[in-house]
Amino acid sequence: MTDDIKRLHVITWGCQMNVYDSDRMIDLVAALGYRPVGEPEAADLVILNTCHIRDKAAEKVFSELGRLRDLKRASALQGRRMVLAVAGCVAQAEGAELVARAPFVDIVIGPQAYHRLPDLLARANAERGTLIETDFPADDKFAHFPQSARRSGPTALLPIQEGCDRFCSFCVVPYTRGPEQSRPAAAVVAEARRLVACGAREIVLLGQNVNAWHGEGAQGLAGLVRMLASIEGLERIRYTTSHPRDMNASLIAAHHDVGKLVPFLHLPVQCGSDRILAAMNRGHTAAEYLELIGQLRAARPDLALSSDFIVGHPGESESDFAETLALVHAVGFAQAFSFKYSARPGTPAAALPQVPEPEKERRLAALQALLREQQRAFNENCVGRELSVLFTGPGRRAGQIAGRSVWQQPVHAAGPRSLVGHIGEVKISAANPNSLSAILLAEEPAQA
Ligand code: 5AD
Ligand code: SF4
């Protein structure tokens, strides 16, 4: 009955794990009659799925909450109830502060407790005051997510690991997502099969420290990737995000042997100075990272690399920063993300003397200029080459379709919409700052 349909608006910040979690929360409350809408104005339930990794992310949440408070008041004046839920890592890390600063929030729910959302929602509709659910329950939240065959785009996210035991000096993840937990291989393979049956051609294995996966039923991530590679109809496998210390010989060998494992790896190094790497508690030196890159490239010569960088970690001097630039020159990245260090309450680095803000800004600009130049060179080098593209949707202009190369570059080509969800061969005709233009050569032969 249409009267029973309730409106849900979800805003998601942060990593791909949050994107996945938001989709699962949407599935969970769909069973209660909630349907997603594009605007929060007349929503019955608004979920903010938040990120706490850098300070600006948390500030965005508080400013969004200010706007929602007004909408909630407007709803109340019309006799409707808007339930406001804050989920994700800000909820987990700052639950108490949230309630103090935004007492009109109805539900505060941490990332390990999403399966309790329907129950909290029933209570929120009946009670007043903020309900907080931020313990780390022992039960496996994934087991509680609805497992019905659900839609899948050509690229599907599949979390296999959550939490982190590494405790890098700057990072909140071990505190917000808790200790490392790996899903059993059988559960991962079953979900992958379902996703492929629902249209996925590429699967992105997700985890805060995904290559530390140590679930039951396979020998590490390499064993799991080999199991997944045998799924018919699955064409591409990626995993993100990894720690250099958790790369091992069998995973490197998988990059050589498993054709479905794409030749692209996001392997954050954070910085290039041994002194700062030690201060960050990363557990390796710059030379060890370069050695690892050498082994990976020997295993898979067309491997393209991506990384995360932090500039201005406490104690970073100008010469430490110069070593980061030197490492970037030595590797040659296809793309990378870089950030100014942001002190996170409760993390070890936050208590140390801080690098002045203008210094961080200067270093970030210099690093980003170098990374941009490397990305441009990498893209430029693709012009004239034949690449396979997984088409994921319509392009910017009429008659165009868009997709991704194995190296994650967005690619646009003139072609029929019927190619969306398929892999096609293209010839790259031009490199733009953030994408490639291409001419379609041929679609892969249709699968029997
Ligand atoms: N400040 C800046 N960047 C950070 N990251 C994690 N914590 C911080 C912080 N406190 C970055 C790291 C990590 C990425 C996901 O976010 O580079 O790899
Ligand atoms: Fe954070 Fe990654 Fe370090 Fe874990 S390995 S503490 S998630 S930066």
Side-chain angles (χ1 to χ4, degrees), residues 276-292:
I276 299 302
L277 283 166
M280 287 178 164
N281 191 31
R282 293 290 289 178
H284 65 81
T285 61
E288 282 163 347
Y289 182 81
L290 293 176
E291 163 73 21
L292 190 53

Side-chain angles (χ1 to χ4, degrees), residues 317-369:
S317 67
E318 191 56 32
S319 72
D320 292 316
F321 175 62
E323 292 186 69
T324 296
L325 295 179
L327 179 136
V328 173
H329 277 295
V331 175
F333 289 96
Q335 64 156 71
F337 303 94
S338 46
F339 313 101
K340 284 186 289 181
Y341 169 77
S342 156
R344 311 313 291 135
T347 58
L352 302 172
Q354 302 292 308
V355 172
E357 202 57 28
E359 195 52 45
K360 287 192 220 172
E361 267 156 29
R362 203 182 51 72
R363 291 178 195 171
L364 185 67
L367 175 60
Q368 290 188 336

Side-chain angles (χ1 to χ4, degrees), residues 44-57:
D44 300 289
L45 169 62
V46 177
I47 301 177
L48 301 186
N49 194 4
T50 62
C51 171
H52 199 242
I53 201 95
R54 286 171 291 278
D55 53 0
K56 284 219 186 84

Side-chain angles (χ1 to χ4, degrees), residues 18 49-53 87-94 109 111 114 172-173 176-177 208:
N18 268 14
N49 194 4
T50 62
C51 171
H52 199 242
I53 201 95
C89 293
V90 174
Q92 186 65 44
E94 295 190 15
I109 185 167
Y114 293 152
V172 285
V173 166
T176 54
R177 292 275 172 166
Q208 270 88 30

Side-chain angles (χ1 to χ4, degrees), residues 125-140:
N125 276 315
E127 301 168 21
R128 292 291 176 267
T130 312
L131 301 166
I132 306 189
E133 183 74 63
T134 51
D135 288 344
F136 288 137
D139 48 359
D140 170 12

Side-chain angles (χ1 to χ4, degrees), residues 176-232:
T176 54
R177 292 275 172 166
E180 215 170 276
Q181 273 183 295
S182 295
R183 292 174 77 186
V188 173
V189 172
E191 186 163 346
R193 284 191 191 287
R194 244 191 331 270
L195 289 165
V196 172
C198 295
R201 307 295 302 276
E202 172 177 73
I203 282 183
V204 187
L205 303 174
L206 295 182
Q208 270 88 30
N209 187 11
V210 75
N211 60 338
W213 184 88
H214 58 276
E216 270 168 42
Q219 281 292 311
L221 182 60
L224 184 66
V225 163
R226 287 177 196 275
M227 285 171 88
L228 292 167
S230 69
I231 297 176
E232 216 171 301

Side-chain angles (χ1 to χ4, degrees), residues 422-444:
H422 296 271
I423 291 175
E425 295 301 315
V426 304
K427 185 165 184 172
I428 303 301
S429 52
N432 317 306
N434 297 308
S435 67
L436 300 173
S437 303
I439 294 156
L440 193 62
L441 296 175
E443 185 185 354
E444 64 175 342

Side-chain angles (χ1 to χ4, degrees), residues 73-416:
R73 280 197 192 126
S75 279
L77 287 174
Q78 291 167 16
R80 286 186 295 108
R81 176 105 200 266
M82 175 188 279
V83 173
L84 262 183
V86 180
C89 293
V90 174
Q92 186 65 44
E94 295 190 15
E97 195 194 335
L98 253 166
V99 179
R101 275 178 73 177
F104 52 89
V105 167
D106 301 287
I107 297 174
V108 174
I109 185 167
Q112 312 303 325
Y114 293 152
H115 49 288
R116 310 208 172 160
L117 188 58
D119 173 46
L120 290 171
L121 210 44
R123 286 173 52 203
N125 276 315
E127 301 168 21
R128 292 291 176 267
T130 312
L131 301 166
I132 306 189
E133 183 74 63
T134 51
D135 288 344
F136 288 137
D139 48 359
D140 170 12
K141 77 169 184 185
F142 296 107
H144 297 267
F145 283 144
Q147 293 298 326
S148 58
R150 54 169 202 263
R151 76 222 171 272
S152 173
T155 293
L157 306 176
L158 202 177
I160 63 169
Q161 182 274 346
E162 197 162 1
C164 184
D165 294 339
R166 285 232 164 250
F167 290 92
C168 299
S169 61
F170 51 83
C171 185
V172 285
V173 166
Y175 312 96
T176 54
R177 292 275 172 166
E180 215 170 276
Q181 273 183 295
S182 295
R183 292 174 77 186
V188 173
V189 172
E191 186 163 346
R193 284 191 191 287
R194 244 191 331 270
L195 289 165
V196 172
C198 295
R201 307 295 302 276
E202 172 177 73
I203 282 183
V204 187
L205 303 174
L206 295 182
Q208 270 88 30
N209 187 11
V210 75
N211 60 338
W213 184 88
H214 58 276
E216 270 168 42
Q219 281 292 311
L221 182 60
L224 184 66
V225 163
R226 287 177 196 275
M227 285 171 88
L228 292 167
S230 69
I231 297 176
E232 216 171 301
L234 176 59
E235 303 291 344
R236 292 180 175 182
I237 303 170
R238 306 179 180 277
Y239 60 91
T240 195
T241 194
S242 296
H243 192 294
R245 276 295 298 270
D246 291 301
M247 291 307 293
N248 57 33
S250 48
L251 195 48
I252 295 170
H255 278 278
H256 177 265
D257 314 331
V258 181
K260 291 183 182 181
L261 193 53
V262 293
F264 179 91
L265 182 61
H266 180 65
L267 191 61
V269 62
Q270 313 295 356
C271 79
S273 145
D274 289 347
R275 226 169 51 80
I276 299 302
L277 283 166
M280 287 178 164
N281 191 31
R282 293 290 289 178
H284 65 81
T285 61
E288 282 163 347
Y289 182 81
L290 293 176
E291 163 73 21
L292 190 53
I293 298 299
Q295 290 172 9
L296 283 157
R297 282 184 164 150
R300 186 79 206 237
D302 58 344
L303 187 80
L305 287 146
S306 161
S307 179
D308 292 336
F309 292 92
I310 295 178
V311 298
H313 183 277
E316 186 187 78
S317 67
E318 191 56 32
S319 72
D320 292 316
F321 175 62
E323 292 186 69
T324 296
L325 295 179
L327 179 136
V328 173
H329 277 295
V331 175
F333 289 96
Q335 64 156 71
F337 303 94
S338 46
F339 313 101
K340 284 186 289 181
Y341 169 77
S342 156
R344 311 313 291 135
T347 58
L352 302 172
Q354 302 292 308
V355 172
E357 202 57 28
E359 195 52 45
K360 287 192 220 172
E361 267 156 29
R362 203 182 51 72
R363 291 178 195 171
L364 185 67
L367 175 60
Q368 290 188 336
L370 175 58
L371 291 169
R372 248 195 323 273
E373 174 51 29
Q374 292 195 339
Q375 181 168 6
R376 194 199 57 75
F378 183 80
N379 287 347
E380 205 62 56
N381 197 33
C382 293
V383 175
R385 294 178 65 181
E386 294 182 9
L387 304 180
S388 60
V389 172
L390 174 57
F391 289 106
T392 50
R396 278 190 296 253
R397 289 189 220 111
Q400 267 195 344
I401 46 175
R404 296 256 174 186
S405 72
V406 286
W407 298 310
Q408 283 292 56
Q409 298 140 302
V411 181
H412 299 267

